[in-house]
Each structure stands twice: as structure tokens, then as C-alpha cells.
Amino acid sequence: MTQEHQGGSRGWSAARKGVWSRLRLTSLRLRLVVVFGLVALTAAVSASGIAYWLNRESVLTRTQDAVLRDFEKEMQNRAGALPEHPTQDELQRTAGQMANSSQRFTVLLVAENPEGQTVYGSSGGLNGFSLGDVPESLRETVTERQKITSGNKYPHHLYWQRIVEDDTPYLVAGTKLIGGGTTGYMLKSLEPEAKDLNSLAWSLGIATGLALIGSALLAHAAATTVLKPVQRLGTAARRLGEGKLDTRLRVSGTDELADLSRTFNKAAEALEKRVADMAARDEASRRFVADMSHELRTPLTAITAVTEVLEEELEFEGGGIDPMIQPAVRLVVSETRRLNDLVENLMEVTRFDAGTARLVLDDVDVADQITACIDARAWLDAVELDAARGIHARIDPRRLDVILANLIGNALKHGGSPVRVSVREEPGGVAEGAEAADEGAEAADASGGTVVIQVRDHGPGIPEDVLPHVFDRFYKASASRPRSEGSGLGLSIALENAHIHGGEITAANSPEGGAVFTLRLPRDVSAAESGEKSGDAGNEGAEGDA
């Protein structure tokens, strides 16, 4: 895969994540748009529904009243002029005349002829509007004679009903002439009014949709106005968390968001000042330790020379030192060595803190290096070595010697004999798990993997409450330990030396008893460092693409 392709993939991935972060269900922007949309949709649907219902009733009522008035008028004028027992021709002629009114409805007249037979007259012809098209309930109500009361002066009234046939709405009405005679029915199609109402419904639906879209756009604009300062605040907070303490927000306006930006700027300014003060105090403390250690070396050199002479006098049988003061002389010699070691350790720690510690790499046989460390300190009788010759690594021999001396010396001093040192090789990089960069892992693989050195003693082990602090500076498991047991800097210096190699040291208790310190170092420190640099460059490139 080319670098251009990788950059494009990273850019597309970053863009996709950015879109998803704006549209995810937990996004405040999406929630604002949804809330605005729901409010607008509810208001628009409610208004449209009320408007449609009011217009529907108005249109239908107006049309219905006009038709019923015209039909009632025609019944009074034309049907009322018919004889009590008209013929079918008279009914047919009258029905046609009634249908030619302004409302253009279909008429059906029912009566009894002089022979006592029921005859019909329809304006739609023999196959037009018939009595079967009138609902039975309406027919019964029309022909039923009502009781005359003070509130009801007529035995018959005009009745109507809306029906739907073949998806077409109709108005059906009927009445009977007062005093007997002809019964009339009317059929009026309401299809034009239904079409008008459908057009109104479509118009209201479109208006609702436009209102919803408009509300979504307004909500998006409002959310953008509100969320842009919040996004800038989040970006500034991330930059502040990354250590860019000079990050500030531009303040404009007098609203709550402007007050929040001012508060953030004040907090960032106070944090920057506090961190600067702490850094200055820390720098002064390191400088003081370094200067103090450097100044102590000159008198210590003279004191060390004197103590060496005193030590030689102690070892010489015919020496001139009074036996009564020999314990004091031995104590002076011991404490001078301890003070000399403490000064050297403090100077080493100061170099680590200042970032001036450097590696001097060389190709070494790990087994030979461990043997030399043990032999130089006369530990051959107390240490068991399990290391095959031929395991080579490119590391700093002096710093590896410091690490081994501290780990083995700590095991001999605080653990139990025998102390066992084992060496093995492992494939892959020092860093394990998903957090290791791919480039660093590939570099570690190319360099030959990892050298693992384990130092195990047979003592009581490390208490569980002490394990998290074994590498802390000046930490001692017991405050009652003698002063000659060390300063508490040895394991800390060993860990720093492992880190500068790109390695790690871990402490644990063995299931079989005793403490186990495990040192992991890359076989080629220079290759691992170049892999880490290339990995960092790749990460910076990815951030730039994003």
C-alpha cells in the first residue's frame, strides 16, 4: 500500500468519524434538531388537522344546506302542485323539472295512482335513481308519520343522510308532502367537494412538510450557533490536556457561553502559572541536587582517600590504630562508601530527570556480561546462572551492569539464597498488547526480538502492599531497616536504565516462593529507537491528514 493510499484511507476514516460524531444518537446537535422537528411537526399537524376539519365542515355544510333548501323548495312548488293520486307520466315530468334546478340533483318521486298502484317518477330514467338506492333507515324515517305536539307542528319533515358508493360520496334526502300524496327523494353527488377537500389535504400536507424542513434547518442553524462555542471549548480542553497550556478561547458577547469562555481562560491562565511555578521549583530542586552532588564529590574524594588509608591500616596486622577506636574507624569507612554511592546515585538520577542520560551501545554477549557483573562483586558462590552463550544484544554494557548489580544485589540483601539468574529470548517487541504501535513491533521483529533476564531469590517474597512501590525513589519496605542497607535509589535507577533502553522491569512473587524481577530489553536498541521514531512520524502524518 502506497503512502498516498494510506493518507487517503486515514482522511476518509477521519471524515467518516467526524460525520458520525455529529450524527450519533448521543449528539446534542441531533437531539436539538429532533426536538425542534417534533415540536414543529406536532404544531403543523395540529394546525393542519384543525384547518382541514373546519374547512371540511364548512364546505359540506354549505353545499348540503343549499341543496336541501333547493330540494325543499322544489317539493313545495312542483310536487305540491301534483294531484293526490298522480299518474306515472305526471311524476316523471315533475321529477325532470325538479332536477333542472340550480343544484342539479337527481329526483325520485313516489306516489299512488288513481288505481291505487305505487308509481315512480325518476329524473334519471328507468335505470337511474331508484328506491333501492335510498337507505332503508332513511325511507322508514321519511314515511313515518310524526306525532303532532306543541313542539312539532308537522307530521312529516325533511331528512338527509350521507352515503359512499364506489368511493364517491353522496347526499341523500327525502320528504313527504304534508297532507299525504307524493314522497320525494333526492340524490346529490359530493364528488366535487371531495376533490376540493383532497386538494386542501394535499396542500396542508405539503405545508406541514415544508414547516418540518424549515424547522429542521432553523434547528440546525440554532444548534450550530450554540454548539460552535462548545466545540471550541472541547478542542481547547483537549489541547490543554495535551500540555498546551497557552491555549485560550476568543471571547465575544455577553451571554452564558461567553462567561464560560472567560472562566475557561482564567482557569487555563491559573493552571499555566501554577505549572510554570511547579516546573521552576522542580528545575531549581534538580539543579540544587546536581550542584550539591557535584560539590560533594571534591571533599568526598579526599575523604575517600583518607578512608582507604585507614582501611589499609586496619587490615595491616602491625598497624598503629588503637584497637579501641577500630570499630569507629570501620564505621567511618563504611559510611564514607555509602555516602559516595549516594552521591553517585543522586547524580545519575539528576541526569535522568534532566534528560541528559545517553546510551553508549555495543554488541555484547549477555551471558558474559552477567558473569562479569557477578564476578566483579564476588557473588559467584551465591548466584546460580542459567544463561546460554551466544545470546547477543546491542545495548549499553555499563548501564546493563548497573541494572544487574542492583537487581542481584537487592535479591542477595533482602531475599534468600540461592539467587538464580536466567536468560532467554522472546520473539516480538518489548511492548505487548494492542497498545504497541505496528511500526515499533515490526522494527522489534526485524531486530531479533527481546532478551528476557529473570532474577529470582528464595526469600519470603515481597509483601503485596510493597509491590506497587518497589521502584519508587527512597522507598523502603520497613522504616526500621539499618542505614547501611542502601538509600532506596537502586531499583529506581535500574528501572530508568531499562526505560532508556526501551525496556521494562517488573516485580512479582513466584508461586514457588521468593521474589522475581523480570528485565526485558530489545536485542537491538538502535533498531527499536528508529522504529519508534518512524512510528511517531507516521502518527503525526495521520493526525495531519485528519
Side-chain angles (χ1 to χ4, degrees):
M1 182 181 290
T2 62
Q3 293 181 354
E4 291 81 0
H5 189 192
Q6 290 177 348
S9 299
R10 294 191 187 100
W12 165 249
S13 177
R16 184 176 60 185
K17 290 180 179 178
V19 172
W20 174 244
S21 66
R22 291 193 294 271
L23 296 180
R24 65 182 187 273
L25 294 178
T26 57
S27 170
L28 183 58
R29 182 190 302 273
L30 181 59
R31 283 184 284 175
L32 285 174
V33 172
V34 170
V35 170
F36 270 77
L38 289 176
V39 171
L41 181 63
T42 302
V45 169
S46 301
S48 299
I50 294 173
Y52 178 79
W53 182 78
L54 293 176
N55 280 275
R56 178 179 181 274
E57 290 301 316
S58 177
V59 169
L60 292 179
T61 301
R62 184 172 61 250
T63 301
Q64 174 181 296
D65 291 345
V67 172
L68 293 177
R69 281 195 304 269
D70 196 21
F71 175 65
E72 186 175 18
K73 180 179 178 182
E74 291 294 326
M75 283 292 295
Q76 292 174 354
N77 295 336
R78 298 188 183 276
L82 290 172
E84 184 176 355
H85 298 286
T87 63
Q88 184 173 359
D89 291 339
E90 291 175 335
L91 289 178
Q92 192 73 29
R93 184 173 55 256
T94 303
Q97 293 173 351
M98 294 174 64
N100 290 328
S101 68
S102 61
Q103 296 298 324
R104 297 294 179 182
F105 42 72
T106 304
V107 178
L108 173 66
L109 297 178
V110 182
E112 290 185 358
N113 60 10
E115 288 79 16
Q117 297 176 342
T118 302
V119 292
Y120 303 92
S122 174
S123 62
L126 297 177
N127 297 324
F129 182 37
S130 65
L131 196 61
D133 296 328
V134 180
E136 183 178 356
S137 59
L138 182 62
R139 293 200 306 266
E140 293 176 354
T141 304
V142 169
T143 57
E144 183 180 359
R145 184 181 179 85
Q146 302 294 325
K147 185 178 180 180
I148 303 299
T149 62
S150 58
N152 181 29
K153 299 180 180 180
Y154 304 103
H156 297 285
H157 297 276
L158 177 65
Y159 300 97
W160 58 270
Q161 184 176 345
R162 294 174 191 167
I163 62 174
V164 177
E165 290 186 3
D166 299 329
D167 296 330
T168 302
Y170 292 94
L171 175 66
V172 182
T175 187
K176 190 172 184 178
L177 293 175
I178 300 173
T182 304
T183 301
Y185 295 98
M186 178 274 300
L187 179 68
K188 171 68 176 178
S189 174
L190 299 178
E191 186 175 3
E193 288 74 15
K195 289 182 178 179
D196 293 341
L197 292 175
N198 288 335
S199 299
L200 177 62
W202 275 104
S203 300
L204 292 175
I206 294 173
T208 300
L210 293 176
L212 182 61
I213 294 174
S215 66
L217 294 177
L218 290 175
H220 180 72
T224 300
T225 303
V226 174
L227 294 180
K228 270 188 177 180
V230 177
Q231 290 174 349
R232 288 196 293 265
L233 179 62
T235 302
R238 283 193 296 271
R239 290 172 58 85
L240 198 65
E242 293 170 357
K244 300 174 182 177
L245 302 180
D246 59 342
T247 302
R248 297 293 185 273
L249 290 173
R250 187 181 73 251
V251 181
S252 59
T254 58
D255 56 5
E256 290 80 359
L257 292 174
D259 291 340
L260 180 61
S261 299
R262 294 189 188 94
T263 303
F264 176 86
N265 289 341
K266 291 179 181 178
E269 183 178 357
L271 179 62
E272 183 181 19
K273 184 177 182 301
R274 186 175 184 84
V275 170
D277 293 343
M278 293 177 63
R281 287 196 296 268
D282 187 53
E283 179 64 24
S285 176
R286 285 200 300 267
R287 190 182 304 112
F288 171 76
V289 173
D291 294 343
M292 180 190 67
S293 302
H294 186 270
E295 292 298 327
L296 285 175
R297 295 192 69 178
T298 300
L300 271 178
T301 302
I303 295 173
T304 301
V306 173
T307 55
E308 288 177 354
V309 174
L310 292 175
E311 188 175 17
E312 290 177 357
E313 289 293 330
L314 288 174
E315 295 176 355
F316 183 62
E317 294 182 359
I321 297 179
D322 190 339
M324 296 295 294
I325 64 172
Q326 285 185 6
V329 174
R330 295 184 187 276
L331 179 60
V332 170
V333 172
S334 174
E335 290 300 314
T336 301
R337 288 177 177 172
R338 182 174 179 273
L339 181 59
N340 193 42
D341 291 340
L342 177 60
V343 171
E344 291 295 333
N345 288 339
L346 287 174
M347 294 188 67
E348 186 73 6
V349 168
T350 303
R351 284 191 287 269
F352 283 125
D353 290 342
T356 58
R358 294 293 181 266
L359 294 175
V360 181
L361 301 179
D362 193 8
D363 293 323
V364 299
D365 187 304
V366 178
D368 290 343
Q369 187 70 22
I370 297 174
T371 302
C373 174
I374 296 173
D375 187 36
R377 293 162 179 81
W379 292 339
L380 289 174
D381 296 335
V383 178
E384 298 178 357
L385 179 60
D386 180 14
R389 295 293 191 273
I391 300 178
H392 291 272
R394 184 167 180 78
I395 53 180
D396 188 329
R398 185 186 70 82
R399 295 191 181 276
L400 177 60
D401 183 79
V402 172
I403 296 173
L404 294 172
N406 279 294
L407 294 182
I408 299 174
N410 184 77
L412 290 173
K413 188 178 298 183
H414 304 295
S417 297
V419 173
R420 183 178 180 84
V421 181
S422 60
V423 182
R424 70 175 188 275
E425 295 179 274
E426 285 184 355
V430 175
E432 299 176 354
E435 296 179 357
D438 294 338
E439 292 85 352
E442 292 175 359
D445 289 337
S447 66
T450 306
V451 176
V452 180
I453 302 174
Q454 280 191 337
V455 179
R456 177 191 170 191
D457 61 52
H458 289 77
I462 305 174
E464 293 297 330
D465 59 330
V466 176
L467 269 176
H469 306 286
V470 291
F471 295 105
D472 293 351
R473 294 176 181 177
F474 300 106
Y475 181 81
K476 295 181 180 182
S478 174
S480 61
R481 280 168 46 182
R483 294 175 56 199
S484 59
E485 291 190 4
S487 62
L489 289 173
L491 291 179
S492 175
I493 292 175
L495 182 63
E496 294 290 347
N497 278 302
H499 285 169
I500 201 174
H501 280 87
E504 184 62 54
I505 302 177
T506 58
N509 288 317
S510 174
E512 301 174 0
V516 179
F517 286 84
T518 303
L519 167 66
R520 285 183 170 85
L521 297 176
R523 291 191 63 179
D524 192 345
V525 176
S526 58
E529 288 178 348
S530 63
E532 290 176 0
K533 291 179 181 178
S534 64
D536 294 339
N539 291 334
E540 292 174 1
E543 292 175 0
D545 293 338

